[in-house]
Amino acid sequence: MGLVDSGYFPASTTPYACRYHELGHAVVESFGIRSYKKDIDRVLQKFGYGYMNANQRKSALSKELSLYSTKTTVPSFQDVVAESFSEWYNSGAPRRFCEEFLKEVGFIDI
């Protein structure tokens, strides 16, 4: 089983997704590095998750985006942006969390 199939990386992405992942990091740097925890929580609450502790958030992100997106970064959740870019620009069928999160943080406007 590959890393995409196992859920470690976003669904339906190809090896080229790493380019978009790194682009996500570059966009974060250009807008100013910050924590995305509150943005993630707002989107997950729209999905019916309610208020979550750290383990519940990790489980939800693993389901809605990827296990890799839960990787610890400082400030927190930089890889949620990167993994969302990876899925949005590479998968051909980005899931709802990806779209809602990128809209929430102002990186797409559709």
Side-chain angles (χ1 to χ4, degrees):
M1 175 181 281
L3 292 174
V4 170
D5 295 333
S6 71
Y8 191 72
F9 294 132
S12 303
T13 57
T14 71
Y16 297 110
C18 64
R19 293 176 181 169
Y20 297 105
H21 175 102
E22 296 308 321
L23 175 64
H25 286 300
V27 169
V28 164
E29 288 182 23
S30 70
F31 277 84
I33 297 174
R34 66 178 182 84
S35 172
Y36 289 93
K37 180 182 176 287
K38 290 180 182 178
D39 305 293
I40 292 163
D41 285 353
R42 278 193 294 275
V43 172
L44 290 174
Q45 286 169 6
K46 287 180 192 177
F47 287 23
Y49 283 96
Y51 294 96
M52 295 169 286
N53 64 34
N55 287 334
Q56 291 167 322
R57 186 178 301 102
K58 181 177 180 176
S59 177
L61 283 172
S62 295
K63 176 184 174 193
E64 299 292 340
L65 187 57
S66 70
L67 181 59
Y68 192 85
S69 70
T70 68
K71 185 176 139 186
T72 302
T73 58
V74 177
S76 58
F77 300 105
Q78 303 301 297
D79 278 307
V80 173
V81 176
E83 290 289 87
S84 292
F85 264 71
S86 175
E87 183 169 326
W88 181 257
Y89 290 105
N90 182 255
S91 74
R95 293 168 289 170
R96 187 171 161 233
F97 175 85
C98 177
E99 180 177 338
E100 292 298 321
F101 175 73
L102 291 174
K103 286 191 318 191
E104 179 74 28
V105 297
F107 292 150
I108 62 171
D109 184 23
I110 60 168

